[in-house]
Structure formats: C-alpha cells, structure tokens
Amino acid sequence: MTSAISIKNLSKTYFKGFRRQRVHALRGIDLEVREGESFGFLGPNGAGKTTAIRILMGLINKGGGTAKIFGHEIPSRAARERLGFLPEAPYFYDYLSVSELLDFTGRLFGQSRAQRVKRADELIELVGLKHAGKSPLKSYSKGMMQRAGIAQALVNDPDLVVFDEPMSGLDPIGRKDVRDIILSLKAAKKTVFFSSHILSDVESVADRIAILVQGQIRDQGSLEEIVSARIGTEVIFGVADLSAEVREKVAGAAKRVRYHDGDMIALLEIDADIDAFVRSGHEIGARLKAVTPVNETLEDVFVRAASKGRSEEQEEDST
Ligand SMILES: Nc1ncnc2c1ncn2[C@@H]1O[C@H](COP(=O)(O)OP(=O)(O)OP(=O)(O)O)[C@@H](O)[C@H]1O
Ligand SMILES: [Mg+2]
C-alpha cells in the first residue's frame, strides 16, 4: 500500500536577516503516514512543524531529501488534487459568509453550481456553522473561524487533510468539536495529518505520533509504542482508620504518596520490592485495594524529548 505521506531525509535551512544567519528548521526528517490513519505531529514552538507542512503543501521549497503524497513527488498537481489544507493562521476574505467562502473555493476546484451548493450544505453541517447563517466571517469568533477553515479545507473531498494547529486558541468545547471532526473524517476513511502542541488532543485522536524537536524526529510510532516504558507501580491501601503516625511507617518506602478519601495511593519505584511493601501495609492493618503498573505519560516523553533538544542546542551554541 502506498503511504499517504512519505518523507525521507527532508531538510530545510532558512537564511534570516541582513547577515543571512542560518536557521536549520528541518535537519533530515523521516516520516511515514499510512492511508486512513490520523497522525499527530507534535513538537514545541519553533520545532519545524509548520515548515514541514508548508513544504508538503508546495508553498515553500525543500532544502534536501524527498517528500511524496500518495506516491507523487511534491509539488505536483496529482498530489494537490487529493489534498485539503488548514493553515496555521488562516486568512480569508472576511466580508464573505461561510457559504460564499465555500462556494468560492468550490469554483477554484471547477465544481458545478449544483455540486457547490450540495457540498457547502454538507460541510456547514459537519463543522457546526449552520447557526452562522449569512453573517460575514469578520464577525466570527476564533472557534467559528477555525471551523470555517476546516470546512474550506474539505471542499474538494480530499483523501488527505493536513491541519496546522487545528485546536490552537480554542476553548475546551471548541477543541472537542475539532477532535470530533477529525474522528468523523477518519470514520470516512480519510487520512488526517495534524500538528499540535496540545498533548491531550493528540492522545485522544491520533493513531500514530511523531515528536519533532529542533528539526529532528525524536520519536515516532503508535501511542502505545511511545508511552510503553513502565516507570513504577501504584499501590492503593485503605487506611481510613489508621493514624498518621502508623501510616508513615509504610509511606516512607514509596517514591511518592498521596491520600484521597481514606486511601493511601503510593507510587513505588520501578525496581521496588512490591511484595515487601504490601506486607508492611498488612502489618500495620492497612487494607490492600489495588496494585497497578504505571506507564510513562505522553507528557513525560514530550518534555524529555524537548529538554534533550534544548541541551543539545546549548552545546552546539557553545562550540
Ligand atoms: N520564513 C522564515 N525565515 C526564517 N526563519 C524561519 C522562517 N519560518 C520559520 N523560521 C524558523 O524556523 C524554525 C521552525 O519554525 P516553524 O514555524 O516551522 O516551527 P513550528 O514547529 O511550526 O512552531 P510553532 O509551534 O510555534 O508553530 C523556527 O526557528 C523559526 O524561527
Ligand atoms: Mg507552526
């Protein structure tokens, strides 16, 4: 099966300012997005996400490497026809209403009037902008504007949609709506590639993830693969009727302890003796409620990747 997106050793250097200072925005990245999956492109500010996306869209030239969409080298018309795109900060003619915007976009794709009307109705329904009626985009809230941008990206019924920070600046409800749109696109067998630095959004909708830091991919895979590292064990004891002093006899052996509703929730180190900990709990009369392995969170992985990138950059600067 051809990949929806296939990027090999892609690099890009910008030259900034009067002294043409080099900015290595992408330092040879490899990325494979399979057909039909939703792929989260994660990275801190300045990591190079928008740069990679703009290269994919044919908006800027790449430095080196290759980038293909459905097997077509980009930029190419064949690739462009199967693509929909929501830019990071979309700008539209803001005196248009959303149906006019969609009609205008449909014309660019050479759709007939009947096609355009039908498609605009479907899309306005999908992104939940029916209530906006004929109001001009300039009266829209940020969330509404983002929805209009998403609708606009879907006019040509693309097989691959690329969203640059689709949830940024939205409130929790707006973010949930965008997540639902992504899930409905996936259900319609579309491939969705989106960038974000909001981890919970990526966690809840992405099948696979890549973490980009300082122009390099630090991690790539399914969520399970990326956050598979076990970091410890959680042991829960019922301790409601025990004094603080008695509890302390056990608590000291844990890495971290918190209390909730009469329970002691203890996090043990990965190499801790779980048996001995449970026994010591029994000895003080605590009641064992649960023993659960604890895995690293995506946030742990992300923060580690980002701080590793930062320290490498400092080393580079000092040499
Ligand atoms: N046109 C440009 N000229 C010079 N440098 C640029 C240009 N565009 C981006 N950069 C630099 O390239 C690097 C990557 O930027 P990019 O916008 O791709 O990051 P990003 O991951 O999208 O960040 P954000 O999360 O803030 O959107 C940054 O250091 C940025 O300052
Ligand atoms: Mg960006």
Side-chain angles (χ1 to χ4, degrees):
M1 192 164 77
T2 45
S3 303
I5 298 176
S6 174
I7 287 176
K8 294 214 165 60
N9 202 19
L10 187 69
S11 63
K12 174 75 184 177
T13 303
Y14 293 110
F15 295 92
K16 205 166 70 177
F18 180 65
R19 298 177 60 190
R20 313 232 338 124
Q21 195 188 354
R22 282 161 196 264
V23 179
H24 298 289
L26 295 175
R27 301 163 185 250
I29 67 169
D30 292 337
L31 205 67
E32 210 68 43
V33 178
R34 301 169 192 151
E35 261 184 77
E37 74 180 354
S38 83
F39 194 100
F41 195 29
L42 264 177
N45 291 131
K49 304 181 294 296
T50 297
T51 299
I53 288 174
R54 298 187 75 200
I55 293 172
L56 274 178
M57 293 301 117
L59 296 172
I60 54 173
N61 291 327
K62 61 182 197 277
T66 58
K68 290 181 184 169
I69 286 177
F70 296 119
H72 303 288
E73 278 274 356
I74 49 139
S76 83
R77 200 191 154 91
R80 189 75 192 98
E81 273 170 0
R82 298 181 65 184
L83 258 181
F85 175 45
L86 171 74
E88 189 167 28
Y91 177 80
F92 308 117
Y93 302 113
D94 59 6
Y95 52 86
L96 296 180
S97 69
V98 65
S99 29
E100 286 165 340
L101 169 73
L102 299 180
D103 188 74
F104 174 78
T105 312
R107 272 173 207 252
L108 296 181
F109 284 106
Q111 296 174 349
S112 71
R113 189 177 151 69
Q115 272 177 319
R116 297 194 313 262
V117 170
K118 181 164 173 285
R119 191 71 187 138
D121 281 350
E122 288 167 0
L123 289 172
I124 289 170
E125 175 82 49
L126 174 77
V127 300
L129 278 179
K130 260 196 154 144
H131 67 284
K134 294 200 177 330
S135 352
L137 297 172
K138 63 174 181 246
S139 68
Y140 277 24
S141 68
K142 177 139 187 141
M144 289 167 75
M145 201 62 169
Q146 201 74 340
R147 287 159 201 248
I150 291 174
Q152 172 274 149
L154 300 175
V155 165
N156 59 333
D157 195 20
D159 297 313
L160 167 64
V161 291
V162 176
F163 295 152
D164 197 357
E165 305 275 357
M167 290 105 166
S168 91
L170 302 186
D171 63 21
I173 297 175
R175 297 219 310 262
K176 176 168 187 316
D177 288 346
V178 172
R179 287 203 302 263
D180 288 345
I181 292 173
I182 292 178
L183 291 174
S184 68
L185 289 170
K186 232 186 77 172
K189 305 259 184 296
K190 309 290 183 188
T191 308
V192 185
F193 180 78
F194 69 102
S195 76
S196 180
H197 46 246
I198 304 171
L199 300 177
S200 55
D201 292 331
V202 175
E203 262 175 320
S204 55
V205 291
D207 299 315
R208 290 197 312 128
I209 293 169
I211 302 179
L212 183 73
V213 179
Q214 311 277 358
Q216 283 178 307
I217 303 276
R218 298 284 169 174
D219 237 324
Q220 182 169 184
S222 69
L223 201 58
E224 296 76 40
E225 284 162 357
I226 288 183
V227 298
S228 61
R230 176 106 182 267
I231 54 164
T233 309
E234 193 176 79
V235 179
I236 305 182
F237 279 122
V239 294
D241 38 9
L242 300 178
S243 70
E245 206 181 319
V246 172
R247 291 170 183 179
E248 271 316 301
K249 288 187 186 159
V250 178
K255 182 180 172 190
R256 221 169 40 225
V257 168
R258 62 196 166 88
Y259 293 94
H260 177 73
D261 225 3
D263 288 344
M264 172 201 277
I265 302 159
L267 179 68
L268 305 189
E269 297 278 9
I270 183 83
D271 54 356
D273 185 343
I274 302 167
D275 248 352
F277 188 79
V278 169
R279 255 183 281 122
S280 66
H282 283 145
E283 278 161 20
I284 61 162
R287 202 160 40 83
L288 182 65
K289 287 189 159 177
V291 178
T292 329
V294 177
N295 280 358
E296 203 169 36
T297 63
L298 184 56
E299 184 176 343
D300 296 332
V301 177
F302 183 80
V303 169
R304 196 179 49 221
S307 45
K308 186 160 175 263
R310 242 194 324 268
S311 58
E312 281 174 8
E313 187 189 36
Q314 276 158 7
E315 261 167 46
E316 221 172 86
D317 286 348
S318 61
T319 53

